[in-house]
Amino acid sequence: MSTTDVAEATAPILHLRGPILLGAEEELDGAWVVGGRIHHEKPELPAGAEIREVDGFVIPGLADLHCHLGIADGGGGTTLAEAREQALVDRDSGVLLIRDAGSIIDNSPLQQQGDLPRLIRCGRHLARTRRYLIGYADELEPEDLPAAVTREAGRSDGWVKLVGDWIDRGVGDLTPCWEAQDFVAAADAAHAAGARITTHTFDEETLPLVVDAGFDCLEHATGLTDETIRRVAETGIPVVTTLVNVDEFETYASQGQKKFPAYAAHMRRLRAGRYDRTRDAHDAGVQLLVGTDSGGVLGHGIIHDELDELDAAGLSATEILEAAAWAPRRFLGAPGLEDGAPADLLVVSADPREDHRILRERSHVVLGGRVVA
């Protein structure tokens, strides 16, 4: 029996007196947490069991689909113990599901620790030689890319992360790191291995290449245009937002201004258009999923800052909750609050479909049926 199974088996009984928000327009009056799992109807309870009554609006734990557990502030790998502390900070902010979008260390042992968010791993970043942050990625050339994708597909939980574009110092601006046929080869290798593939992308030119190649997800996607928004919406590829990271583009522009003025101007344009681009994508039907890019440049526990950014982009509270809780779980195949699912949930005092900011004021964070924060 795993650590998670033991925690669930010994978790207390909670009577959730709701409402239980199963989706934007679907709710229950109440539910029960027994044996670490949620039950829509009252199950048979052990004789003499202590029952804790919990009042409030109940939602699935928040998800962060672009998080890095195991990258230290300023870069470099952490110890496993330090990565655990990062995960605890995220958990206590209400994040109970993480897709790790690339780590320098093997953080898979964290999956056996039942008091941490449920973790789905992408393995290590794959990047073109000398075209990414030093020490973060496995760096390689196009002829080695399919084999590297296959390797990372086997090391991960069915996800591979490719760095699609970065500054080209010879050009002095963002450019795609790979040719069209390289993106196709990477996607084909991932899918042949039974994995999905996502890409870091800032630049406008990269997006048509990865859409044509059949990528499954887009990280950042700051280069979206009217045309690529239309195409992404048609193909159903979701975008992981990371607007808190995009806000940092002024810092990156300032750092590169003297040596790479075209790059600096480009990054400033991308930052300036972030809210309009996000709203236009949403209005066109692009599925937005919440990610923070925590780890490395940004600290952990900043999920609510990302939700505030989506609010600034014009999304309603219900649309923000969809991007942060319900849609990520569907996309990753992770359970929500359906009958019999692991009880990974948050309790707040007011309806978060009316104001997302109430998610900062959680009365309970419940993981595997246990109140952890």
Side-chain angles (χ1 to χ4, degrees), residues 128-133 139 163 165-168 175-177:
R128 189 74 178 266
T129 307
R130 294 185 294 278
R131 290 291 301 277
Y132 196 51
L133 297 165
E139 298 186 7
V163 177
D165 52 59
W166 197 251
I167 186 172
D168 183 330
T175 65
C177 296

Side-chain angles (χ1 to χ4, degrees), residues 70-78 104 133-136 295-298:
I71 301 180
D73 293 346
T78 69
I104 295 173
L133 297 165
I134 296 172
Y136 274 59
V297 175
L298 300 175

Side-chain angles (χ1 to χ4, degrees), residues 19-35:
I20 316 299
L21 304 185
L22 304 179
E25 298 180 352
E26 185 181 5
E27 64 182 68
L28 301 173
D29 291 336
W32 293 79
V33 174
V34 180

Side-chain angles (χ1 to χ4, degrees), residues 308-371:
D308 289 346
E309 287 288 282
L310 290 175
D311 176 68
L315 272 68
S316 71
T318 298
E319 291 165 342
I320 291 169
L321 199 55
E322 173 71 16
W326 298 311
R329 291 175 179 275
R330 290 196 302 270
F331 181 61
L332 294 177
L337 296 180
E338 58 265 29
D339 193 41
D344 297 346
L345 56 91
L346 309 179
V347 183
V348 293
S349 61
D351 192 342
R353 295 170 298 184
E354 299 295 329
D355 187 344
H356 78 280
R357 292 172 297 181
I358 195 64
L359 296 170
R360 289 182 178 268
E361 303 170 13
R362 303 161 302 282
S363 63
H364 297 75
V365 177
V366 178
L367 180 63
R370 290 190 167 276
V371 178

Side-chain angles (χ1 to χ4, degrees), residues 8-340:
E8 291 178 352
T10 59
I13 295 172
L14 304 178
H15 181 202
L16 306 174
R17 299 200 287 200
I20 316 299
L21 304 185
L22 304 179
E25 298 180 352
E26 185 181 5
E27 64 182 68
L28 301 173
D29 291 336
W32 293 79
V33 174
V34 180
R37 295 184 176 270
I38 190 165
H39 300 269
H40 292 181
E41 301 292 337
K42 183 178 180 179
E44 183 175 350
L45 304 179
E50 179 182 354
I51 299 171
R52 297 171 61 178
E53 305 286 350
V54 178
D55 294 311
F57 287 78
V58 177
I59 66 165
L62 302 176
D64 187 342
L65 270 69
H66 194 118
C67 184
H68 303 285
L69 298 176
I71 301 180
D73 293 346
T78 69
T79 66
L80 192 62
E82 289 168 334
R84 171 180 164 79
E85 290 303 313
Q86 293 174 337
L88 287 172
V89 170
D90 291 323
R91 183 201 72 182
D92 291 350
S93 72
V95 171
L96 302 183
L97 175 65
I98 289 173
R99 187 188 63 169
D100 187 288
S103 181
I104 295 173
I105 70 169
D106 176 10
N107 56 26
S108 60
L110 300 180
Q111 294 175 311
Q112 305 306 312
Q113 300 181 26
D115 61 340
L116 297 183
R118 297 174 192 271
L119 174 63
I120 296 173
R121 299 159 37 255
C122 280
R124 194 162 186 184
H125 305 70
L126 297 177
R128 189 74 178 266
T129 307
R130 294 185 294 278
R131 290 291 301 277
Y132 196 51
L133 297 165
I134 296 172
Y136 274 59
D138 282 344
E139 298 186 7
L140 52 136
E141 290 300 293
E143 60 269 22
D144 301 317
L145 182 57
V149 168
T150 301
R151 181 193 69 228
E152 289 306 308
R155 289 177 175 176
S156 72
D157 300 316
W159 276 98
V160 178
K161 164 83 172 295
L162 181 69
V163 177
D165 52 59
W166 197 251
I167 186 172
D168 183 330
R169 288 166 176 79
V171 174
D173 200 356
L174 295 170
T175 65
C177 296
W178 316 90
E179 300 295 331
Q181 64 267 23
D182 302 324
F183 286 112
V184 171
D188 287 349
H191 296 154
R196 292 189 280 181
I197 187 166
T198 190
T199 184
H200 160 107
T201 174
F202 290 162
D203 188 42
E204 293 88 347
E205 295 180 16
T206 306
L207 285 160
L209 303 178
V210 296
V211 172
D212 288 344
F215 273 57
D216 302 289
C217 190
L218 304 171
E219 312 297 315
H220 319 297
T222 53
L224 283 169
T225 63
D226 290 346
E227 174 59 20
T228 49
I229 284 173
R230 181 188 64 78
R231 293 198 58 204
V232 170
E234 287 176 350
T235 55
I237 305 171
V239 169
V240 180
T241 55
T242 72
L243 288 170
V244 284
N245 179 37
V246 179
D247 189 41
E248 295 293 316
F249 279 16
E250 173 57 38
T251 300
Y252 310 150
S254 297
Q255 291 169 345
Q257 175 68 51
K258 184 174 181 180
K259 211 172 174 184
F260 305 113
Y263 163 80
H266 196 171
M267 295 296 278
R268 289 187 172 111
R269 288 196 305 273
L270 294 175
R271 180 184 181 277
R274 67 196 187 281
Y275 295 143
D276 288 343
R277 182 176 53 247
T278 299
R279 185 71 220 185
D280 289 347
H282 180 270
D283 288 348
V286 174
Q287 176 68 73
L288 302 181
L289 303 172
V290 167
T292 63
D293 211 356
S294 296
V297 175
L298 300 175
H300 287 261
I302 60 173
I303 189 73
H304 300 286
D305 297 334
E306 182 67 21
L307 305 189
D308 289 346
E309 287 288 282
L310 290 175
D311 176 68
L315 272 68
S316 71
T318 298
E319 291 165 342
I320 291 169
L321 199 55
E322 173 71 16
W326 298 311
R329 291 175 179 275
R330 290 196 302 270
F331 181 61
L332 294 177
L337 296 180
E338 58 265 29
D339 193 41

